[in-house]
Amino acid sequence: MELNKCSRCGAFYTTSSNVCPNCVPKDTCDQLNLKNFLVENEMPASIEALSADTGISMKNLNRFLDNDDFNVYL
Ligand SMILES: [Zn+2]
């Protein structure tokens, strides 16, 4: 059994998702907001600006933007 450390809250968990079960709904919601934002807006010049515009933390943004799902917007 492998223990993963949640990227959002630091809790340990054993499921195969990117974050712990408690944070999955929040993570899904943030990713949806980010997708909607990038569909309707130009990609801001910096992650800082993107964070300010979306209300998503830079740590989470960096993690989402590493994901292949978001490559189409970059
Ligand atoms: Zn968590």
Side-chain angles (χ1 to χ4, degrees):
M1 193 166 70
E2 199 175 328
L3 276 183
N4 298 309
K5 193 162 189 263
C6 177
S7 311
R8 293 187 72 105
C9 72
F12 288 99
Y13 63 99
T14 55
T15 52
S16 62
S17 51
N18 288 320
V19 293
C20 76
N22 282 340
C23 292
V24 167
K26 291 180 230 167
D27 219 46
T28 304
C29 183
D30 277 355
Q31 288 188 55
L32 202 64
N33 288 340
L34 177 59
K35 266 185 191 162
N36 287 339
F37 179 85
L38 292 176
V39 165
E40 289 166 13
N41 302 276
E42 292 276 310
M43 180 73 182
S46 66
I47 296 283
E48 285 92 340
L50 184 59
S51 176
D53 285 344
T54 58
I56 302 169
S57 75
M58 285 180 48
K59 188 180 161 196
N60 285 326
L61 284 174
N62 280 318
R63 186 162 51 82
F64 296 157
L65 295 174
D66 272 349
N67 192 307
D68 287 344
D69 282 3
F70 290 103
N71 279 351
V72 290
Y73 303 107
L74 303 177

